[in-house]
Amino acid sequence: MTALDPQTLLTLNVVNLLALAILLPFIMGQKLSSAAQAARRSLIVHSGAWIAVILSELWPTNWWLNISLSTVSMICYSSCNWLLYQALTNWLGERPFRRPLIVLAIVMPIGYFLFFDTYAWRVGWANLLIAIQVAILANATLRPKTRLVGPWRYVLCLCLGSMSVFTLARGVLGFFFEPLYPNFAAPHPINLISLVIANITMVLGSVSVLVAWREEAELQLRDLTVIDPLTGLLNRRGWSEQATPAFSSSLRHQLPLALLALDLDFFKRINDERGHEAGDAALRLFGEVLRQQARTGDVLARMGGEEFCVLLPLTDAEAAKAFEARIRTTLEEAAVARLGFPFSYSAGLTHRSADDRDLEKLQLRADEALYLAKSEGRARLVER
């Protein structure tokens, strides 16, 4: 291990980081998500940190160029960690320890600059705070709040966890055993292992980022096939994929289940008199109202045009009527306030009976109730 050249390892790390940062747009395409953009920027800034470290070694300690470049490298380290945290937040949902990471990212380079004249303190300070930052990143890969749950998270967690441990070890070495670690390129075994680990984790971490981006792209592509782009609700295909299992579960466990068929009243008149933009705004608002009132597990879909369906698991007749009443009240208030004109809907309500063996029969009965609601004057609920 002692035969390894630290300067070569440093240079190799910079070359690898720059190559990945440059090639990522060609691999992933020019139109990257905000998460992928943050991850790519993290690689670029990380490479900048290593470049600043290498250049700082060209000047004697305490020269202004050495001090400036060393401090710039610390700023880049903190920045790249923050950018990676942003990427993980966009991919996995809100992550813990956001504020502590911001504080650490700010105070680390400041403390490094202030402690610069005392080698042990600046090395111990910087490595300790970077190790904590990276540990926060490792923790941020766990417990996702989105649908991105792929194994790439565990690989990235292992990489970041390893870097945190060896960064901390390097800080302990510099603080307590300064003669053994007089500079960043010292050929001490801990430093050499840290640089080797840095190269390995950089490659594995970049692969994890690519896999995360691929998983994100696959989910987005799937959403295009099951989500109505105007309202954000399920389309017919999405309805079939989610409502059918919900019906089967209700049937298997003999649990209550309600289905609402909804149709906006005189929707063609809105388009003809106010324009298609107003019609689209009405559809978006209706979808928003449905989402506001729905519970986790309810299935909401735009079946086409101005027709909607809502499947309500574990819902009896009274609860379903109360749900529909909340939709109607909320819509009456929101339509005038948001759009400047009122609009209503007709609704057909039905419940799973002992004779219902498939979802289609339930939908047919809800459609029949909806037809009665429209024939009886619209803007009302009919139950069958």
Side-chain angles (χ1 to χ4, degrees):
M1 182 63 71
T2 55
L4 290 174
D5 178 14
Q7 201 67 34
T8 301
L9 291 172
L10 283 170
T11 304
L12 180 61
N13 207 351
V14 173
V15 171
N16 286 336
L17 282 167
L18 283 175
L20 284 166
I22 293 171
L23 291 175
L24 272 181
F26 299 96
I27 298 172
M28 304 168 73
Q30 296 296 326
K31 294 183 179 180
L32 302 180
S33 67
S34 56
Q37 288 176 358
R40 177 175 176 253
R41 293 189 188 111
S42 177
L43 286 174
I44 295 173
V45 175
H46 196 180
S47 63
W50 287 101
I51 291 172
V53 167
I54 292 175
L55 293 177
S56 70
E57 296 294 321
L58 301 178
W59 284 274
T61 303
N62 294 328
W63 277 38
W64 70 271
L65 276 173
N66 180 279
I67 297 172
S68 299
L69 288 169
S70 297
T71 304
V72 166
S73 71
M74 296 301 107
I75 294 172
C76 289
Y77 279 126
S78 287
S79 299
C80 78
N81 289 336
W82 171 247
L83 286 167
L84 183 55
Y85 183 89
Q86 292 283 74
L88 291 171
T89 297
N90 289 328
W91 274 325
L92 305 177
E94 287 300 318
R95 302 288 84 198
F97 306 113
R98 179 178 183 274
R99 289 185 179 179
L101 181 61
I102 293 174
V103 173
L104 290 169
I106 294 173
V107 302
M108 189 276 284
I110 294 175
Y112 182 86
F113 178 78
L114 295 176
F115 293 140
F116 197 86
D117 290 335
T118 308
Y119 177 83
W121 275 98
R122 80 165 186 262
V123 171
W125 170 270
N127 282 280
L128 171 63
L129 268 62
I130 290 175
I132 297 174
Q133 290 179 35
V134 178
I136 289 175
L137 291 176
N139 182 71
T141 63
L142 307 176
R143 298 175 294 278
K145 296 181 179 179
T146 66
R147 293 176 294 164
L148 271 72
V149 295
W152 60 269
R153 296 182 299 108
Y154 302 114
V155 175
L156 189 57
C157 181
L158 178 62
C159 293
L160 293 168
S162 300
M163 280 306 304
S164 177
V165 170
F166 280 99
T167 300
L168 180 61
R170 195 157 52 193
V172 171
L173 184 67
F175 187 79
F176 293 103
F177 308 98
E178 180 180 340
L180 299 177
Y181 185 53
N183 56 65
F184 198 79
H188 190 278
I190 289 180
N191 191 38
L192 290 169
I193 294 173
S194 297
L195 293 174
V196 171
I197 293 294
N199 276 278
I200 295 173
T201 57
M202 179 271 302
V203 174
L204 292 178
S206 299
V207 171
S208 299
V209 166
L210 286 172
V211 175
W213 167 79
R214 178 182 176 182
E215 185 181 2
E216 178 189 32
E218 289 176 347
L219 287 174
Q220 289 174 344
L221 181 61
R222 172 170 170 74
D223 284 346
L224 291 176
T225 66
V226 299
I227 300 294
D228 171 55
L230 183 62
T231 63
L233 305 181
L234 296 171
N235 57 22
R236 280 186 176 273
R237 178 176 177 177
W239 166 265
S240 178
E241 289 186 1
Q242 293 194 24
T244 300
F247 178 88
S248 299
S249 177
S250 171
L251 182 63
R252 183 169 58 254
H253 300 290
Q254 292 299 299
L255 298 171
L257 183 77
L259 193 151
L260 276 167
L262 312 167
D263 188 279
L264 301 190
D265 294 331
F266 305 110
F267 184 71
K268 185 176 184 301
R269 186 183 299 174
I270 296 176
N271 281 329
D272 292 342
E273 296 179 358
R274 300 180 182 273
H276 288 281
E277 288 186 4
D280 288 348
L283 290 169
R284 281 194 295 267
L285 177 61
F286 192 64
E288 181 181 328
V289 170
L290 290 179
R291 287 195 302 273
Q292 287 175 353
Q293 300 302 324
R295 309 159 302 174
T296 300
D298 293 344
V299 183
L300 315 172
R302 181 188 178 196
M303 306 302 285
E306 64 272 26
E307 300 175 10
F308 297 80
C309 271
V310 179
L311 193 69
L312 302 168
L314 302 174
T315 305
D316 59 19
E318 293 306 314
K321 291 176 183 177
F323 173 81
E324 189 277 332
R326 290 196 300 272
I327 294 173
R328 196 172 296 277
T329 300
T330 304
L331 182 65
E332 287 176 356
E333 298 172 355
V336 175
R338 299 269 296 274
L339 305 181
F341 61 89
F343 68 95
S344 62
Y345 66 90
S346 301
L349 172 64
T350 191
H351 310 274
R352 189 188 63 79
S353 69
D355 296 331
D356 292 325
R357 312 309 296 177
D358 57 63
L359 179 63
E360 288 72 19
K361 186 175 181 180
L362 199 66
Q363 285 184 253
L364 179 61
R365 199 160 61 245
D367 287 338
E368 291 172 351
L370 173 61
Y371 177 80
L372 286 175
K374 295 171 70 173
S375 64
E376 290 177 5
R378 302 178 189 263
R380 67 193 63 210
L381 170 69
V382 170
E383 182 180 8
R384 288 198 69 180

